[in-house]
Amino acid sequence: MKKILLLSDTHSHIDDVILKYAAQADEVWHAGDIGDLHVTDTIKKLKPLRCVYGNIDDAQARLEFPLHNRFLCENVSVWITHIGGYPGKYNPSIREEMASNPPKLFICGHSHILKVMFDKKNNLLHMNPGAAGKSGFHQMRTMLRFVIDDDKIKDLEIIEIGKK
């Protein structure tokens, strides 16, 4: 069983609230637009980190983190990318692989809109944790946390960090 904290779009912002939730997790996953690598360096001192780079991230972040991160957590296949789209409207660059080799859990960021939905066509759970940072049009800073237990994704919680 793994407790996961999922965040995205920090845009160089890290604070004690994010770190408090990170400390309670077994792993932290970041779906891109990190900004300053101080964010990921700080998280890595606390917990294991799985991360992808986003469209605002510089060459240094792109050397450290992949565009797509596919892995197995417990018995759940996971795919994290920054600009992924939504069920029925996936980014054209991933549609073919999504159709031929879908994960059980698909995670993206970019939109700053928290959204969790089931994709019936590809039989997967789609998650976007919204934005944990202070840059962007969103009003409320958000993250998600959940548990992966064997092949089950459960105990999903929305964390509202506060107004930006």
Side-chain angles (χ1 to χ4, degrees):
M1 184 175 84
K2 292 247 171 130
K3 295 181 221 168
I4 308 299
L5 177 67
L6 174 60
L7 65 154
S8 186
D9 296 276
T10 48
H11 292 262
S12 301
H13 180 78
I14 188 91
D15 60 30
D16 290 341
V17 177
I18 295 171
L19 295 174
K20 176 185 94 170
Y21 284 100
Q24 295 170 7
D26 295 319
E27 292 185 6
V28 178
W29 298 353
H30 193 303
D33 276 4
I34 303 155
D36 191 315
L37 288 182
H38 169 72
V39 170
T40 49
D41 291 344
T42 302
I43 292 168
K44 285 191 288 188
K45 289 176 188 170
L46 282 176
K47 295 293 172 166
L49 174 70
R50 297 183 189 262
C51 189
V52 296
Y53 70 79
N55 57 294
I56 69 144
D57 293 317
D58 64 13
Q60 189 177 357
R62 291 167 192 243
L63 286 172
E64 185 168 347
F65 301 109
L67 174 61
H68 302 287
N69 194 346
R70 290 198 77 155
F71 56 92
L72 196 63
C73 180
E74 297 276 306
N75 284 311
V76 173
S77 60
V78 180
W79 182 355
I80 304 175
T81 194
H82 183 61
I83 303 176
Y86 294 100
K89 297 179 182 174
Y90 289 116
N91 186 313
S93 67
I94 67 167
R95 280 185 198 146
E96 188 174 313
E97 186 172 352
M98 184 63 78
S100 65
N101 186 21
K104 183 166 184 166
L105 175 59
F106 180 72
I107 295 168
C108 64
H110 186 62
S111 71
H112 293 221
I113 300 168
L114 186 147
K115 189 177 284 196
V116 177
M117 58 193 297
F118 191 74
D119 177 345
K120 292 177 188 170
K121 181 179 177 188
N122 292 301
N123 194 32
L124 63 88
L125 184 61
H126 175 281
M127 289 185 186
N128 184 322
K134 294 186 172 185
S135 296
F137 69 88
H138 61 284
Q139 298 300 306
M140 181 63 67
R141 297 169 48 228
T142 57
M143 304 182 292
L144 293 172
R145 72 176 169 181
F146 54 94
V147 170
I148 295 182
D149 187 1
D150 190 34
D151 64 345
K152 305 279 187 284
I153 303 161
K154 61 185 192 178
D155 301 334
L156 176 67
E157 294 177 73
I158 294 169
I159 299 166
E160 290 187 340
I161 306 168
K163 301 274 186 192
K164 63 176 190 158

